[in-house]
Amino acid sequence: MLKRFIRILFIGLMMSLIFYAPDIYRYIAEGVLYIGKGDGLKQMIPFQLYLFEHFKHSGIWYAPDFGLGGDYFTNLSYYYSTSPISYITFILLFFYQLFDHHSVVKQLVDMQYVTAIIKCTLVFAAAYYAAKEIGMKHRSALISGILYSWSTIFYYFTYTWSFFSDVMVYLPLSILGLERLLRRNQPLIFILSIAITVFSNFYLAYYEMIAVGIYFLLRLVRQHDQDILPGVKALLTVIVSAVIGFMMGNIGFIAGVSSFLHNDRTLEKLKVPLLIDWSAKNNLFYGGFHLVVIFVAAIALCSFSLYRYYYYRLFSVITWIMMVGSLTPYVGSMFNGFSMSQRRWVYILAFATAILTGLFIQHLSELSIRQLLSASLPVVIILMISVLVQQDFQYWLFYVPVIIILMACYLKYRGQWLMNIIVLAVAFCQLTLIQDYHYGIQHQYFKTTDYMTEHVYNKQMQQAINQLKKNQVDDLRRITLSDNSSVNLPMYYRFNGTMLYSSIFDKQILKFYEEDLKIAQHKQKNSYYAMLSGRTNLASLYNVDDFITASGDHPTLFDKHSKFQAGGSQYEVSTNPYPLPSVRVADKVFAASSLHTPLEKERAMLEGVVKEQGAAGHFGAPDLLAGTQLTAEQATWRNSILTVDGEEGSLIIKLNKQKITPYTELYLTMKSDIIVPQDKDYYIQVNEKKLMKPKKNYKYRRESKDVVMNIKAADEIRISFPKGKYRINLISLQGEDYSVLKNAYQKYKHQPLKLIKKRFSYEVNLKGDKGTLVVPMPYVNGLKAIVDGEERPIEPVNYLMTGIPVEMTDQKVTIKYTPPYLKWGIVVMISGIAAAALFNKWTKNSRLSI
């Protein structure tokens, strides 16, 4: 059995090398990356890099460089932190570093090919064994494994969201385990498949629950003649096995669910149509964006005489269900947790059609030539119509008449050599289809190494950042890099930043941005927060010492001090003239309920600390909107609606010069949103500050809320938009002279408290002050403070910071973090392993008595 398994893995490895040979060639010869230019470069690579560095050097799961800080293990469990296949990548990368001396970014890019080949091999092997378990012969099982592992959805998943193609291993593994349980009363593989799926990713586990659940129900409604477990016993055995598998993998699942529940995915309501749009990208048979089903599967689906075979009928029914489901976005919504519709579920259809094709080839000899041609006719018609409508000819179409003729010849002459040729032709057809898919559909999403070194990661930027990091006094200083290439640039360059692009992070951060401090951001998209809108008060509160930009959007008070060239752009570096200590002891406490505007909240945090209970804060500033004049230029202004008829129009606020003289900056609190057009991105510009906004009907667009547009003090404020109609509400206008910040700087510069990162904790040596130790990292449940050996209560303060009470006699504070679910999760996991061993032994004894 072991020799056979090794042989199948070797065959799978050879198939994977053949499959990826064109991509490896393009990488070596042309520098084309097998990484998507969107989420691939902006999330997948930086997340893997980040986790590898932290797994390698750190022992604590809470880090200040995960955006503004947070539990990176839990929040990245949606991606790679609980993926066993990612662990294989990290282990291989560790050994790769022993022989290669390029940057770790370059090494990780190389590893994407290694990981893809390994994963493709595992997908092939899992599909092969699942096919064998339902009675397929070796040759038919091989072609099923090839078609599934060479599917367009696997190719798409692996370069776009590489973690997602993990599920393509787990699905056939789960089907294999379920079949062994029902046909042999052997639950171990099913238990292990559930355990690894549940641990790997809660989102993928949800997909698997639906897919495997439907498969089991279909198997239960009409059982196979060789099933040895009757209906009720089969149901109970499957439930028990699934529970044990869940217990074994519970830590990863709970990490994912915990992060999901603490996340905010609020989106604007969009109308979901009943049917998909009839475009090429949704064509399952020709030119589809996610999945292109090989035409042989469609012929198999139309070969109704073969439905007399149990598994042929079963996978035909599943295929019909999936194909009908693909016609409505509601199925995609169901698989996506009844939220935004996504077609990621079609990997299930890829598996069903791969198995169906294998079964068709196995039973081909039972068809007549007339039946074959009758089944082929509608398929050929669909392909011809697709070519004419899409006006795009793909090379794999040459195989259609060739394979149909070969099948007809086989039915006439019955030579096994003809069957071998048919199998090879089907495999080459799929390989050609993948190349057509790459060049015809996905090529635009691939970038080169030159693009990466110029726009994503380059040595000059790394050197400049390393130089800035040398001057940092401790491990909680931050740098803001204003660059449009990727929000996750801090992960590439390994510094504490102020931004994050991730599907899941603590919703308190979005509350801090959108509700508490009303920080203006670009994009207005979900899964995203970036920088602090150049507000110097916030920069000082969050330890931002340096600001790097190529577009001149420095914070008003920051001092420009150097320039450097990187990636074809000229960058300027400015420094914060009023840095505060990384952590500080605040002796004044202000009640959050007494603070009403973002400016008041900033001043209160500088003066002391903000909590639920405390003294009233009197930091108000006059509203300068009273007495201003509003006029429109190249636009009309009526009832809070600005209609811009030309290329650009503005709403202009004119102020009295004397009123603004004392101020350095103005805080204009406003709310704006586009009415029409709804299908175009747009911008809002207030004097020198310009924000890019997504179109109204963008599916990941967050609801428009009040924001503070902080600008240099001027007697004229020009609010500009491109052509369109906009709703604008002006709420308040306040001035900031930064006197509170300057006083805080003077107060704390003689109290240089530092936060030092250790392997498993963070430490602060105190200087004999009494009050609240304010740590500018988000508070999360699981943080623990130990002061001079004794545990001390820890609490959320300043809307998004952590506070620890300290006394004058205290000397050292140690901050540790343990995810709340971890201890009990380990207990449940160990119990699950024990239960699996006992249950497997019990079922083994039951088999002996049958």
Side-chain angles (χ1 to χ4, degrees), residues 633-636 642-650 673-684 719-727:
E633 183 178 284
Q634 301 295 318
T636 57
L642 184 73
T643 303
V644 180
D645 298 319
E647 291 298 315
E648 180 179 274
S650 305
D673 200 7
I674 190 168
I675 301 174
V676 291
Q678 297 198 353
D679 58 350
K680 290 184 179 180
D681 295 343
Y682 68 102
Y683 64 83
I684 171 176
I719 307 171
S720 303
F721 297 90
K723 184 177 181 179
K725 185 180 289 187
Y726 307 86
R727 186 181 304 278

Side-chain angles (χ1 to χ4, degrees), residues 433-445:
L433 188 154
I434 281 292
Q435 298 313 306
D436 286 331
Y437 179 74
H438 171 85
Y439 285 107
I441 299 169
Q442 298 295 343
H443 182 69
Q444 59 181 314
Y445 302 106

Side-chain angles (χ1 to χ4, degrees), residues 641-660:
I641 304 295
L642 184 73
T643 303
V644 180
D645 298 319
E647 291 298 315
E648 180 179 274
S650 305
L651 177 65
I652 301 171
I653 306 174
K654 292 187 178 295
L655 298 94
N656 187 314
K657 287 186 178 181
Q658 293 181 342
K659 286 187 176 181
I660 64 167

Side-chain angles (χ1 to χ4, degrees), residues 61 73-74 77 82 195 198-200 245-258 819 821-830:
W61 288 353
F73 179 86
T74 300
S77 60
T82 54
V198 163
F199 179 84
S200 178
F246 176 84
M247 291 172 65
M248 292 173 63
N250 82 94
I251 292 177
F253 183 83
I254 295 175
V257 171
S258 175
Y821 56 82
L822 185 60
K823 292 181 180 178
W824 280 108
I826 293 174
V827 172
V828 173
M829 181 185 70
I830 294 173

